[in-house]
Amino acid sequence: MDKENMPQNGVQKDMFGDFANVKVPEDKTKSFYGMFLVFTGVLVSIAVLYGGAGLGNGLSAKDILIASVTGSVILGIVGALTAVIGANTRTSTYLLLRYPFGRGGSKLAGAAVSGIGCGIGWFFIQAYLFGTVFETISMEVFGEVYWIASAPVAAFWGACLMSLTAYFGYKGLAFLSYLAVPLFMILLLAGTYAAVTEAGGFNQAVSAAPEASITMSAAITSVIGMYVAGATITPDISRYAKSPKAGAAAWFLQVVVLQPVLMLCAGLLTLLTPMGDIAQAMAFLGMGLGALALIIFGQWTTNDNNLYNGSLAFANTVRISKKKITLIMGGIGAVLASLTAAGVFGADPFMEFLNQLGRFLPPIAGILIADYYIFRPYVLGIKDPKKRYVFGEGTEYSQWNWVGIISWVAGTIASPYLPGAVGFNSIAIAFVVYLVLATLAEKANIKYEQGSYIETSDGF
Amino acid sequence: MSQNNNSNSELKDLMWYKKYVPLYSIILGVLAIVVSFFVDLPRTRGLYIGIALGPIVVSLIAYLRYGFESSNNALGLAKVIVETAWMPLSFGVGYFVMAPSTYYAAPGGTLAIVLIIALLMVILGLRTLIALSKKGYELTP
């Protein structure tokens, strides 16, 4: 380590960039408003481009609102609890996992689920989808597809754009969100107004019935499932919060207040037009440029987060700077997205694999919540929230925390066998199993942690 | 952020932006609303007014926020200015994307005036952000 990067006054120097493996310093924390925009940047694509449009294909306006509010409140609570942990410790999800999973467990869980799942898998799939939708809308708007708008080329430059903001870390995500989120709201509201007006007014829109129908429980399950991964990894963003309250409030408000509104708008657009997704619906209503902007900014603000989360996870696993990891993963994603769009291989097998892999993510929230809010303060007696997880040079972790690993696997495997939302089930099962096993092991003096790892001066 | 953030020279530098960024945002927003009354189509008028209200409301809030900031806190002042400057930039782009659409179409002359107002909004936002960035202030506070 060179002299410049030596720890000074007890503060670790950021060797990996974007404070990937160290605490975010006090003077680098961000305002509630900035955090709210970054969280919303992720939400807009998930709630609008996928979720709301899907609900609009099977529910009336009133039912869309009920399903989205119910699902959003559950997501709001889970995400607020994990956001507080991130804001108190000022570290990412993957660093937090060093306690309930052990150092080796945090590498495994972080790299497998967030690194490979979000950073490579979903990043390239979303870039591929961006390319194909961009080509379709370009055809509708311009009447022909220029080479730059063809799916393989659009998928490639789309992935490069998304990598660009992820490369600059939180600052890059925030920069884009400050510009894109208000713009996105204009596009969506203008599109929804057009759809409602064309359908004959708000009363007509409210009474409109979809051709197909889905049950309320399936709709709520879908709302939770869509964003439960986001609720799990809120510490990746909330570590920058000025206070735990600010981080939790930013998450809670954008999910509970904004998500139902966004879903309702997107649902109305698809419900009131003969189109299956909102970009096509907007193009159908004569807002082609708006549809293109919606796809570009919606996918960009969401997919750069995928890469950001993935690179944070890998920075906890391999000793490479976060920027280099972002470039490598972004490059792989751009090539895979382009090849998939060109038809070299299909996206379906990858999506099936990623959906299965994605089931491993939500239980992590249950384990973190159980460990941080109950096990550490009430069983281990660590009452001070700031001391429940400590990090820094010389900190000793176990290599493997078997209670955490078992709870993680149990939550993932058992969740589909219970009624209700699979994502929420997995959180609840992991929460209960972790709490019971960890408490029993602690009381009975059973050794559940194995090996030892000492944190180095660069936070690795 | 600059280290010596409370110095008088820094505060003096920010005064122009403190005074004129919200003021110009409001003027441009009001101009867009005035132009909207020359449009026959109610939905187009609604779009112009709806977008114009964004920068106007945020600028009015900025004036309120100035009252809460200590008079010698350059960092706090810069934060309010930066957050305000993003709005005309984003909403100006909104005009460029939505105003020319078939659904919200307006006669050529009116559309041209609105797009000029939008361009001025974008320039106001960009100029402010670039200037404050050069002074060392955070653009994503």
Side-chain angles (χ1 to χ4, degrees):
Chain A
M1 187 188 290
D2 57 47
K3 201 177 174 184
E4 192 196 334
N5 288 318
M6 288 293 283
Q8 293 166 357
N9 303 325
V11 178
Q12 285 180 287
K13 275 284 183 181
D14 180 21
M15 299 286 287
F16 290 80
D18 200 20
F19 310 105
N21 282 336
V22 294
K23 288 174 80 163
V24 174
E26 173 88 41
D27 63 334
K28 299 290 179 192
T29 53
K30 302 290 182 178
S31 67
F32 162 83
Y33 178 66
M35 195 143 290
F36 178 81
L37 287 182
V38 174
F39 276 134
T40 306
V42 187
L43 174 74
V44 286
S45 167
I46 290 165
V48 174
L49 296 181
Y50 305 115
L55 296 183
N57 289 327
L59 292 177
S60 68
K62 185 182 149 203
D63 288 343
I64 293 172
L65 202 57
I66 293 171
S68 56
V69 168
T70 311
S72 299
V73 168
I74 293 169
L75 290 172
I77 293 167
V78 172
L81 288 170
T82 53
V84 166
I85 306 175
N88 265 333
T89 58
R90 298 227 189 92
T91 55
S92 72
T93 312
Y94 322 101
L95 262 70
L96 299 177
L97 295 184
R98 291 178 184 184
Y99 281 94
F101 282 69
R103 185 67 182 94
S106 78
K107 286 183 181 182
L108 173 74
V113 180
S114 219
I116 295 172
C118 296
I120 297 176
W122 284 116
F123 177 75
F124 107 72
I125 291 289
Q126 283 209 8
Y128 149 73
L129 290 173
F130 167 83
T132 53
V133 176
F134 195 87
E135 182 183 273
T136 308
I137 302 298
S138 296
M139 183 68 199
E140 286 182 31
V141 175
F142 303 112
E144 60 180 310
V145 176
Y146 300 103
W147 70 271
I148 192 90
S150 67
V153 179
F156 189 83
W157 62 253
C160 291
L161 274 184
M162 295 153 190
S163 304
L164 182 71
T165 42
Y167 178 81
F168 292 103
Y170 181 91
K171 206 178 270 187
L173 308 186
F175 197 88
L176 179 65
S177 296
Y178 268 89
L179 173 71
V181 169
L183 174 63
F184 199 91
M185 297 300 166
I186 295 171
L187 301 177
L188 190 63
L189 290 175
T192 308
Y193 173 81
V196 171
T197 308
E198 291 303 294
F202 193 72
N203 287 338
Q204 295 289 326
V206 170
S207 58
E211 284 176 14
S213 79
I214 52 176
T215 64
M216 182 57 73
S217 67
I220 294 170
T221 301
S222 152
V223 172
I224 294 172
M226 251 177 308
Y227 207 17
V228 70
T232 302
I233 54 177
T234 51
D236 292 358
I237 302 293
S238 72
R239 67 198 176 108
Y240 275 95
K242 281 224 184 295
S243 68
K245 210 183 283 179
W251 167 266
F252 191 81
L253 281 180
Q254 59 98 30
V255 171
V256 175
V257 178
L258 218 51
Q259 174 156 274
V261 176
L262 293 174
M263 284 190 158
L264 182 65
C265 288
L268 285 173
L269 265 165
T270 48
L271 177 66
L272 303 176
T273 63
M275 297 306 185
D277 69 66
I278 67 154
Q280 284 184 318
M282 283 185 68
F284 174 79
L285 290 165
M287 287 170 274
L289 206 55
L292 286 177
L294 200 80
I295 299 165
I296 293 174
F297 287 112
Q299 288 279 13
W300 191 354
T301 53
T302 300
N303 216 14
D304 63 356
N305 266 274
N306 277 332
L307 194 54
Y308 167 78
N309 296 324
S311 56
L312 265 181
F314 272 126
N316 176 55
T317 306
V318 287
R319 198 187 278 272
I320 305 176
S321 86
K322 186 172 162 285
K323 283 190 172 177
K324 278 185 192 161
I325 295 171
T326 306
L327 283 181
I328 294 167
M329 290 200 301
I332 293 171
V335 171
L336 286 176
S338 190
L339 290 175
T340 312
V344 175
F345 41 76
D348 288 349
F350 288 104
M351 288 173 80
E352 179 56 33
F353 168 71
L354 289 170
N355 278 327
Q356 294 302 324
L357 191 63
R359 287 177 48 211
F360 283 86
L361 193 50
I364 288 173
I367 292 166
L368 274 177
I369 292 168
D371 190 53
Y372 186 83
Y373 289 102
I374 300 177
F375 181 67
R376 287 183 182 270
Y378 299 108
V379 179
L380 297 185
I382 311 169
K383 299 289 183 193
D384 184 348
K386 302 225 182 254
K387 289 182 179 164
R388 288 176 202 165
Y389 292 151
V390 288
F391 301 92
E393 183 179 2
T395 306
E396 185 175 2
Y397 312 99
S398 64
Q399 270 293 5
W400 300 97
N401 181 333
W402 292 110
V403 168
I405 306 277
I406 290 167
S407 313
W408 182 41
V409 175
T412 305
I413 292 175
S415 55
Y417 300 104
L418 291 183
V422 175
F424 182 72
N425 289 347
S426 64
I427 293 176
I429 293 168
F431 175 89
V432 172
V433 173
Y434 184 86
L435 215 50
V436 170
L437 289 184
T439 307
L440 284 177
E442 195 64 32
K443 299 284 181 199
N445 254 336
I446 298 169
K447 195 169 159 52
Y448 58 93
E449 291 178 304
Q450 186 186 347
S452 163
Y453 182 91
I454 309 288
E455 184 176 320
T456 54
S457 58
D458 56 3
F460 194 75
Chain B
M1 292 276 178
S2 52
Q3 293 296 311
N4 186 13
N5 54 54
N6 287 337
S7 71
N8 284 338
S9 63
E10 280 186 56
L11 278 169
K12 205 175 163 189
D13 282 348
L14 290 174
M15 282 305 142
W16 189 93
Y17 299 98
K18 177 189 176 185
K19 186 176 178 185
Y20 290 108
V21 171
L23 181 65
Y24 287 158
S25 292
I26 290 173
I27 290 172
L28 290 170
V30 170
L31 278 177
I33 291 173
V34 171
V35 171
S36 76
F37 290 108
F38 293 95
V39 178
D40 292 332
L41 214 53
R43 64 190 185 212
T44 308
R45 194 179 306 147
L47 178 83
Y48 289 4
I49 294 173
I51 298 179
L53 284 176
I56 292 175
V57 170
V58 169
S59 297
L60 292 175
I61 292 171
Y63 282 124
L64 284 176
R65 292 175 69 192
Y66 288 152
F68 292 111
E69 290 298 336
S70 160
S71 58
N72 59 357
N73 180 5
L75 272 182
L77 192 60
K79 184 184 156 194
V80 178
I81 296 168
V82 164
E83 287 180 351
T84 308
W86 277 105
M87 295 309 278
L89 174 58
S90 190
F91 280 64
V93 175
Y95 274 121
F96 274 107
V97 175
M98 294 309 285
S101 67
T102 320
Y103 189 79
Y104 290 110
T110 315
L111 179 63
I113 294 171
V114 157
L115 292 182
I116 290 170
I117 293 171
L119 182 65
L120 291 174
M121 283 183 175
V122 171
I123 291 171
L124 174 68
L126 271 181
R127 186 187 181 283
T128 308
L129 292 174
I130 291 169
L132 265 68
S133 168
K134 280 183 180 167
K135 291 178 194 301
Y137 292 105
E138 185 74 70
L139 296 187
T140 54

